Amino acid sequence: MQIDPRSHRPIYLQIADGIRAAVAAGIYRPGESLPSLRSLAIDVQVNPNTVQKAYDELVREGLIFARRGKGLFVDEQGAASAQTHAQNVIRQTFENGIRTGRAAGMPNKQMRNIFEGSLRDTADGEN
Amino acid sequence: MQIDPRSHRPIYLQIADGIRAAVAAGIYRPGESLPSLRSLAIDVQVNPNTVQKAYDELVREGLIFARRGKGLFVDEQGAASAQTHAQNVIRQTFENGIRTGRAAGMPNKQMRNIFEGSLRDTADGEN
Amino acid sequence: MQIDPRSHRPIYLQIADGIRAAVAAGIYRPGESLPSLRSLAIDVQVNPNTVQKAYDELVREGLIFARRGKGLFVDEQGAASAQTHAQNVIRQTFENGIRTGRAAGMPNKQMRNIFEGSLRDTADGEN
Amino acid sequence: MQIDPRSHRPIYLQIADGIRAAVAAGIYRPGESLPSLRSLAIDVQVNPNTVQKAYDELVREGLIFARRGKGLFVDEQGAASAQTHAQNVIRQTFENGIRTGRAAGMPNKQMRNIFEGSLRDTADGEN
DNA sequence: GTGGTCTAGACCACT
DNA sequence: GTGGTCTAGACCACT
């Protein structure tokens, strides 16, 4: 999981994004356990409290649930909702970019070009 | 100009983004003066200090410059630089969305669909 | 016996509450033996240590007592004490609800209405 | 606001309960500001982080909203929801008490007596 | 070992 | 001064 400490997006939300994406991608499946607070904290080089805040966010969303002394688990119904949630986030992000372009008077055609360039530049093999 | 007080992006950067987009769009042209601190502060419902910080940012970037006692003006070369800056911001935004999609295992095709949907949904007439 | 793992009331106290209520209701009578640690642990899906703690609590209260190598038994005077203890717990619970209502400016009449509604909604046949 | 440090209910939830009740009671009205993190922390003798967690809970509920640098305010629509929320909490509490009574084989009549006793004992003048 | 609460204290953005 | 994030570290309940 990638954390950008210079981003204005709080670390705990970046972590929540990462877990959400991983569940959406099927890396963690319904009923399966997630990395423990402490192990993930070591993994992303962050204080356990910050990971806790990230997980808390996802528990409230209904994506995961916690069992004291046992661990954190992907909710049976939660995985599907992670997919749609991820889609919404992506759409929201694209719309923000597009709105910025609109404000700068940029035509759709140019924005499509930029988008295709972004797809190419972030390609990590097969897509 | 749209300010989202709940966004984690600092308000002064949101204001700078807005000015930059307006310059790129030709709303403020090279040599023209920009709104005063106080008028813009009232406009976006924010403390003048915050607008000051936004203008500082843009002066540092070279997009605008200050004439003591006269106000702030758009740099001659500023308009072009605003264009490229806006492009970079947009590209950055798209790449963020794409990275989220990749993390969730979403194929390019689906992301293109979402992008086109976003273009359509944010259309405000002719584009 | 109902255990709510999401409640902030420790599980061992929830188990003790359950046993106490069962003794008060005459399900376990004075002199009779109680379920073994392991059987109750399996029953409520909990670690035997947690059941142990619940029994410890009840022994301390004087509701039950242990015969080494034989098991746990309901105290002769225990049944009566369970009755009064259950009454205290219930009273305490009602008072908590009433205090919340008072804090929200709710008149007694409305609280009585809510109480009667609760009695009705939780009715499981004859009461 | 009363905090019981011996309760198993976390302090931050006790604080949230208190604020919710105060809004329901009309002590804080829609649009009005709430005590600041620091002042409330001093008031209830608790760490500001704990108050923060309580307010965070209420922000998520939609009862209040926060403005960075300005303070916390009661949501226009939130006040009404506080009333119903308070009612639900009270009902939930009563039902818990009643369920305990049922488990102990207590008849409705006796529970009504206990309830009336509780109303009397917690009376603080006119109700 | 695992989740959850709490304190103490630093630092940031905004008013 | 006001809300918000983060670290470091203690302590609790449960496995």
Side-chain angles (χ1 to χ4, degrees):
Chain A
M1 189 181 309
Q2 299 280 18
I3 300 300
D4 176 4
R6 273 166 309 172
S7 164
H8 288 289
R9 189 159 176 81
I11 295 173
Y12 79 94
L13 289 179
Q14 294 186 48
I15 294 171
D17 292 343
I19 300 282
R20 216 185 277 116
V23 172
I27 293 168
Y28 303 115
R29 300 189 166 284
E32 281 183 17
S33 71
L34 294 154
S36 78
L37 289 183
R38 274 103 164 160
S39 68
L40 187 52
I42 290 165
D43 196 35
V44 297
Q45 301 257 52
V46 109
N47 190 287
N49 286 336
T50 304
V51 176
Q52 158 90 328
K53 214 172 165 185
Y55 275 141
D56 196 48
E57 197 73 23
L58 299 172
V59 168
R60 284 165 194 273
E61 270 177 31
L63 178 68
I64 67 177
F65 63 91
R67 284 288 166 266
R68 236 188 319 194
K70 286 199 178 149
L72 293 145
F73 303 86
V74 179
D75 195 281
E76 295 293 335
Q77 281 80 33
S81 92
Q83 286 276 1
T84 49
H85 191 105
Q87 275 197 31
N88 288 339
V89 168
I90 293 162
R91 190 183 189 99
Q92 196 63 43
T93 308
F94 288 166
E95 290 187 3
N96 281 341
I98 292 167
R99 250 188 295 271
T100 305
R102 292 264 156 77
M106 198 177 282
N108 277 359
K109 205 187 151 190
Q110 193 178 346
M111 290 200 274
R112 278 200 194 91
N113 285 340
I114 295 176
F115 181 73
E116 289 298 327
S118 302
L119 272 181
R120 246 176 284 120
D121 289 3
T122 57
D124 50 351
E126 302 297 299
N127 290 107
Chain B
M1 189 183 308
Q2 297 279 19
I3 301 297
D4 176 5
R6 264 165 303 181
S7 163
H8 291 286
R9 186 162 175 82
I11 291 174
Y12 78 96
L13 290 180
Q14 294 187 48
I15 294 171
D17 291 343
I19 305 276
R20 213 182 283 115
V23 171
I27 292 167
Y28 303 120
R29 296 187 172 282
E32 283 183 17
S33 73
L34 291 154
S36 77
L37 283 186
R38 262 166 297 179
S39 68
L40 186 53
I42 290 164
D43 196 35
V44 297
Q45 299 256 51
V46 113
N47 193 292
N49 291 336
T50 305
V51 178
Q52 174 74 280
K53 262 185 104 168
Y55 277 151
D56 284 353
E57 186 72 22
L58 296 171
V59 169
R60 223 174 301 128
E61 271 176 30
L63 178 69
I64 66 178
F65 63 94
R67 281 266 173 272
R68 228 180 325 180
K70 292 208 174 146
L72 290 143
F73 301 85
V74 180
D75 191 278
E76 292 297 331
Q77 278 80 36
S81 100
Q83 282 279 3
T84 52
H85 197 107
Q87 272 199 29
N88 287 340
V89 169
I90 294 162
R91 189 182 192 99
Q92 200 61 47
T93 308
F94 288 167
E95 290 186 3
N96 281 342
I98 291 167
R99 234 174 278 118
T100 306
R102 291 263 156 79
M106 197 179 282
N108 279 358
K109 204 188 152 188
Q110 192 178 346
M111 290 200 272
R112 275 199 196 89
N113 284 341
I114 294 177
F115 182 75
E116 287 300 326
S118 302
L119 273 180
R120 243 177 287 119
D121 288 4
T122 57
D124 51 350
E126 302 299 297
N127 289 104
Chain C
M1 190 183 308
Q2 297 279 20
I3 301 298
D4 176 4
R6 265 166 302 182
S7 163
H8 291 286
R9 187 162 175 80
I11 292 175
Y12 79 95
L13 290 180
Q14 294 187 47
I15 294 171
D17 290 344
I19 305 277
R20 212 182 282 115
V23 171
I27 294 169
Y28 303 118
R29 299 187 170 282
E32 281 183 18
S33 72
L34 292 154
S36 76
L37 283 185
R38 261 167 298 178
S39 68
L40 186 53
I42 290 165
D43 196 34
V44 297
Q45 299 258 49
V46 114
N47 192 292
N49 291 336
T50 306
V51 178
Q52 173 73 279
K53 262 185 104 169
Y55 278 151
D56 283 354
E57 186 71 24
L58 297 171
V59 169
R60 222 173 302 129
E61 272 176 30
L63 178 70
I64 65 178
F65 63 93
R67 280 265 172 274
R68 227 181 325 182
K70 290 204 173 151
L72 291 144
F73 301 85
V74 179
D75 192 277
E76 293 297 329
Q77 277 81 34
S81 100
Q83 283 278 2
T84 52
H85 197 108
Q87 272 199 31
N88 286 340
V89 169
I90 293 162
R91 190 182 190 99
Q92 198 60 47
T93 308
F94 288 167
E95 290 187 3
N96 281 342
I98 291 166
R99 235 174 278 118
T100 305
R102 292 264 156 79
M106 196 178 284
N108 278 0
K109 204 190 155 189
Q110 192 178 347
M111 291 200 272
R112 275 197 196 91
N113 285 340
I114 294 177
F115 181 76
E116 289 298 326
S118 303
L119 272 181
R120 245 176 286 120
D121 289 3
T122 56
D124 50 350
E126 302 299 300
N127 292 105
Chain D
M1 188 182 309
Q2 298 279 19
I3 300 299
D4 175 5
R6 270 167 310 173
S7 163
H8 288 289
R9 188 158 176 83
I11 295 172
Y12 80 95
L13 289 180
Q14 294 186 47
I15 294 171
D17 292 344
I19 300 283
R20 214 184 280 115
V23 172
I27 294 168
Y28 304 116
R29 298 189 169 282
E32 282 183 16
S33 71
L34 295 152
S36 78
L37 290 182
R38 273 103 164 159
S39 68
L40 186 53
I42 290 165
D43 196 35
V44 298
Q45 301 257 51
V46 111
N47 190 287
N49 286 334
T50 304
V51 177
Q52 158 89 330
K53 212 173 166 184
Y55 275 142
D56 195 49
E57 197 75 22
L58 299 172
V59 168
R60 285 164 192 272
E61 268 177 34
L63 177 68
I64 67 177
F65 63 92
R67 283 286 165 265
R68 237 188 318 192
K70 288 200 175 147
L72 292 144
F73 304 86
V74 180
D75 195 281
E76 294 294 333
Q77 281 80 34
S81 91
Q83 286 276 1
T84 49
H85 191 104
Q87 275 198 30
N88 288 338
V89 169
I90 294 162
R91 193 185 186 98
Q92 195 64 45
T93 308
F94 287 168
E95 291 188 2
N96 280 341
I98 291 167
R99 250 188 295 272
T100 304
R102 292 265 155 79
M106 197 177 283
N108 278 0
K109 204 186 155 191
Q110 192 178 348
M111 291 200 273
R112 275 199 195 89
N113 284 340
I114 295 177
F115 181 75
E116 289 298 328
S118 303
L119 272 181
R120 246 175 285 119
D121 287 5
T122 58
D124 49 351
E126 301 299 296
N127 291 104

